[in-house]
Each structure stands twice: as C-alpha cells, then as structure tokens.
C-alpha cells in the first residue's frame, strides 16, 4: 500500500523542549511539504522540499527546522523558539512541484 | 501576497440537494487550483486539480470550474448525500513557484438525512 505516514498521532511538548515529528512516504515522490493547521482555519506552509538535500521556507518557518537526507523522509522539528506550537501538523507529498498533493493523517501537538 | 477566501464558512443542506461551494483568490497568476476534502481530525483528500489552462474538471458527482481572470473557482456537488458532510478546502499554487500553495479556511458542509 502506497501512502504517507506520520508519527506520532499525538505529541506532548514541555516548555523549552524540542520535539520532532516524523513524515515518511513510499510513493516515490520528489517533493514534500509541512503545513500547520489551527482550529477552524486552513493550512499554512511551514517548509517544503522539492529534492533531497534541499528545502525552502514557507510562510511561517520561524521556530521550525527540517531536514531532507532521504527521498522518503522529511522530519519536522518544533524548537523551543516556537512559542505557540499547539496545532495540527500535516505532511504532504507530490510527484513533482505543483502536482496533486497527497496528505498524511496528521500529528496533533499539545503543550503541557 | 496571495489570499484565498471561501464563503460561506458553513453550509447545511437537505440530502439530495445540488450545491455550490465558492473559492476566490486575489492573484490570478496561479499554476493550478486544487479542491480537498477533510473529515474531522483527519488529513486532506484530494478531490480535483485544475491546471491554470483548464476551465473545469469532473469526477463523479463533483465538478470544479476555474475562472482565472476573475479569481474564482466553484465546486459543484450533485445530489448531495450525508457522506458528503466534511470540510472542503481549496488551494492555489504559485505560478512562479509551483511548490508553494495558499489555502482557504474551508467551508464546512453538513448534509442532513
């Protein structure tokens, strides 16, 4: 079964802690994306990567970091610099930039 | 900066009704427009993608149109069913950077049996 997996489903962060959200795809897609969704709102782009070892900032990159060492993996780290991290985080991929976006099931991040 | 608006924010209709969801965008220089469905607490599922050179796309009971010059798209759902209840979001990708998409806040549809 091809698709995108995200883990964990729920994640709790303590004050001052960095946490990493996992995103893996087996669709052989070149491009991957991270979005943040707040209640009742649409998605906002955090980071995207169109090829391995390359990524660009989206609209709300401050307080987040990413890496793209493998084609199938695009982990997102929420750093302590992100003061309001509580949100639903969604990972997506496309065969190429501008193609149909396929989404994972999401990770809900909560602050303790 | 691209802005995407979806009105209304919520819509409730009886089963069997045909309905139209609206999406408007401020910058007509888009690469494509995509419509998604999101069930509560879940990821997004792609419904239709319209390239900037196209006027419409159809899939089953769904038909999406695009008028780039006026900055508008509509999603038409025929013969609505309770299973169509979900939030519908549209997203436009940037013409100069196709990897960058801007989403609307969505329209939450409830179809009553």
């Amino acid at each position: 079964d091809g698709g995108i997996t995200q883990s964990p489903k729920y994640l709790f962060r303590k004050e001052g802690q960095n946490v990493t959200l996992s995103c893996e795809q087996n669709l052989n897609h070149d491009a991957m994306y991270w979005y943040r969704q707040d209640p009742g709102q649409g998605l906002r782009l955090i980071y995207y990567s169109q090829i391995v070892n390359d990524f660009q900032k989206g609209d709300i990159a401050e307080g987040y970091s990413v890496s793209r060492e493998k084609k199938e993996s695009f982990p997102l780290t929420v750093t302590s610099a992100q003061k309001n991290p509580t949100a639903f985080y969604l990972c997506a991929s496309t065969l190429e930039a501008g193609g149909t976006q396929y989404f994972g099931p999401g990770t809900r991040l909560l602050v303790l | 900066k691209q802005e995407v608006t979806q009105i209304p924010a919520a819509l409730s209709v009886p089963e069997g009704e045909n309905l139209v969801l609206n999406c408007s965008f401020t910058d007509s220089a888009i690469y494509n427009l995509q419509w998604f469905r999101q069930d509560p607490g879940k990821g997004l599922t792609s419904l239709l993608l319209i390239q900037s050179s196209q006027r419409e796309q159809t899939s089953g009971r769904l038909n999406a149109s695009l008028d780039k010059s006026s900055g508008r798209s509509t999603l038409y759902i025929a013969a609505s069913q309770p299973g169509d209840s979900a939030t519908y979001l549209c997203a436009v990708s940037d013409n100069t950077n196709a990897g960058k998409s801007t989403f609307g806040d969505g329209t939450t549809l409830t179809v009553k049996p």
Side-chain angles (χ1 to χ4, degrees):
Chain A
D1 256 344
I4 301 177
T5 57
Q6 291 186 242
S7 62
K9 187 173 182 180
Y10 295 96
L11 186 57
F12 298 91
R13 192 189 91 163
K14 294 180 182 178
E15 199 75 35
Q17 187 181 37
N18 293 352
V19 293
T20 298
L21 285 62
S22 170
C23 177
E24 304 275 333
Q25 54 99 358
N26 62 2
L27 300 168
N28 200 32
H29 283 177
D30 283 326
M32 297 186 74
Y33 312 81
W34 274 107
Y35 294 95
R36 169 180 172 141
Q37 186 177 34
D38 292 285
Q41 297 186 25
L43 280 64
R44 290 183 290 168
L45 183 64
I46 304 173
Y47 269 99
Y48 62 105
S49 167
Q50 300 190 20
I51 197 167
V52 173
N53 291 324
D54 185 50
F55 48 83
Q56 289 82 40
K57 293 181 179 180
D59 298 319
I60 55 166
E62 186 174 349
Y64 301 96
S65 65
V66 294
S67 63
R68 186 89 187 275
E69 298 175 1
K70 298 187 296 183
K71 186 175 185 177
E72 59 269 22
S73 178
F74 191 39
L76 173 74
T77 296
V78 184
T79 75
S80 57
Q82 173 50 246
K83 298 306 178 187
N84 184 23
T86 297
F88 190 47
Y89 291 86
L90 289 158
C91 178
S93 71
T94 59
L95 183 62
E96 56 189 8
T100 299
Q101 294 194 58
Y102 295 86
F103 280 82
T107 292
R108 192 166 299 278
L109 177 60
L110 301 165
V111 176
L112 293 177
Chain B
K1 182 189 172 187
Q2 179 74 270
E3 292 181 5
V4 179
T5 303
Q6 294 186 247
I7 295 173
L11 182 63
S12 181
V13 300
E15 182 176 2
E17 192 162 296
N18 301 328
L19 60 101
V20 174
L21 305 179
N22 298 296
C23 172
S24 61
F25 47 95
T26 55
D27 186 349
S28 62
I30 64 170
Y31 185 75
N32 62 36
L33 182 145
Q34 198 164 357
W35 280 95
F36 297 89
R37 170 189 172 131
Q38 185 177 29
D39 293 296
K42 306 290 186 184
L44 278 67
T45 300
S46 177
L47 298 173
L48 290 164
L49 182 147
I50 311 177
Q51 299 293 350
S52 62
S53 58
Q54 296 176 318
R55 297 284 292 182
E56 65 178 335
Q57 282 284 352
T58 298
S59 176
R61 294 183 293 110
L62 305 179
N63 176 276
S65 68
L66 174 64
D67 184 343
K68 208 171 64 166
S69 60
S70 68
R72 292 183 182 181
S73 175
T74 61
L75 179 66
Y76 174 83
I77 302 177
S80 59
Q81 304 169 358
D84 294 331
S85 299
T87 297
Y88 291 81
L89 297 102
C90 68
V92 296
S93 62
D94 189 84
N95 196 36
T96 56
N97 185 351
K100 196 170 180 185
S101 291
T102 302
F103 281 76
D105 288 343
T107 294
T108 299
L109 172 66
T110 302
V111 181
K112 297 174 289 186

